[in-house]
Amino acid sequence: MNTVHRSAVLEGHVEIGSNNVIGPGVTIQGPVIMGDGNYIGPGASVGSVSRERLEGSHRLADPLPAEESAVIIGSNTMLFDQAVIFKPMFKETRIEDNVEIGAHVIVGHDCTIGESAILSPHVALGAYVTVGSRANLGIASAVHNRITIGGLAMCGMASAIVGHVPPGALVYGNPARIHGVNSVGLARAGFPEPEIETLLAFLRGHPGKPGNDLREIIEQYRADVQKWPTGKKEVRWGTRRSSSSPEFDPST
């Protein structure tokens, strides 16, 4: 059984599973397919129409018809107050299971958010962004169009992310730079300390080249590495001086 507030608006083709909670003032514009046990907070919008679709200004290719451009949400995902998920232009906007999307987050069209990822309040994702499984984006992080955030990466608060973030990396700053590995997140995910140290050494020795060697070093990264967009612009290594507060550790 689902709980849908009387002020919520569901338009078009909307499929929802069971045990979902849809709060007051929510707008869901189909096509939207949603699994079980999700929470959609007050004022959130799912399936919003992007400016490009409204204006017909996208010049790369013909977009999908509106009735075929689905937002797909898995199960046990939390979408908090006034967050916005945009309708896709060319494929789908997909949110996997167990994702946490904070208040006032913006998810651009054609984004993919991996399982158990965390998008803190006021995060903004441009179009075509991919966020890997269990990645963590800090408060008010902004991600440029077509960027990939690797699985288990940690992006500190208010980071401006204009390059790809390798799996397991710790980045922060404006523009964001690599400052190590997400040791806290990796440890919580069950990675032993020697493997965390090995990943750090790999990233330092192979900046910008997280290719198949990483799969051999740490077996658990296999899926992420196989999908990694090699040969594209990535964030660089930085120093703590790039952070606004030298004592601040965004991994905690």
Side-chain angles (χ1 to χ4, degrees):
M1 181 176 178
N2 295 297
T3 301
V4 181
H5 194 273
R6 62 183 181 181
S7 64
V9 177
L10 281 64
E11 299 179 335
H13 181 76
V14 178
E15 296 181 24
I16 57 177
S18 60
N19 300 317
N20 294 286
V21 176
I22 299 175
V26 169
T27 301
I28 300 179
Q29 301 177 69
V32 172
I33 301 171
M34 187 184 307
D36 304 325
N38 297 292
Y39 170 79
I40 312 296
S45 176
V46 179
S48 296
V49 180
S50 65
R51 175 183 58 81
E52 291 89 346
R53 182 177 287 278
L54 283 174
E55 296 179 350
S57 61
H58 207 294
R59 303 173 183 174
L60 296 180
D62 293 330
L64 286 172
E67 64 274 12
E68 298 179 14
S69 52
V71 174
I72 300 173
I73 299 176
S75 297
N76 303 312
T77 281
M78 295 183 290
L79 182 68
F80 287 99
D81 304 25
Q82 298 186 5
V84 178
I85 300 177
F86 281 97
K87 185 185 300 291
M89 291 281 290
F90 297 108
K91 47 170 188 171
E92 62 188 20
T93 302
R94 176 177 288 272
I95 315 295
E96 298 288 359
D97 297 344
N98 303 305
V99 173
E100 180 179 330
I101 298 177
H104 302 278
V105 167
I106 297 174
V107 177
H109 64 80
D110 297 271
C111 286
T112 299
I113 314 298
E115 183 176 356
S116 300
I118 297 175
L119 276 59
S120 300
H122 297 280
V123 164
L125 305 184
Y128 312 104
V129 169
T130 298
V131 178
S133 298
R134 305 182 79 163
N136 190 331
L137 277 66
I139 295 170
S141 298
V143 185
H144 198 274
N145 295 345
R146 302 182 186 276
I147 294 299
T148 295
I149 309 292
L152 282 166
M154 170 68 196
C155 304
M157 65 171 64
S159 296
I161 303 165
V162 295
H164 299 299
V165 177
L170 167 65
V171 305
Y172 56 88
N174 185 358
R177 295 286 185 260
I178 299 175
H179 291 268
V181 296
N182 179 19
S183 56
V184 172
L186 290 165
R188 289 173 178 170
F191 284 78
E193 186 173 348
E195 288 190 345
I196 296 174
E197 294 176 352
T198 299
L199 175 60
L200 176 60
F202 180 86
L203 290 177
R204 287 193 179 278
H206 301 76
K209 298 180 180 179
N212 290 337
D213 289 344
L214 183 56
R215 189 169 68 245
E216 299 170 4
I217 295 171
I218 300 180
E219 186 69 18
Q220 289 93 325
Y221 277 94
R222 177 170 297 172
D224 238 345
V225 171
Q226 287 175 337
K227 297 182 292 184
W228 191 249
T230 57
K232 296 185 179 181
K233 182 180 179 181
E234 296 176 338
V235 294
R236 301 176 181 177
W237 277 87
T239 67
R240 279 201 173 273
R241 288 192 297 272
S242 66
S243 173
S244 59
S245 173
E247 287 82 27
F248 172 63
D249 183 354
S251 67
T252 60

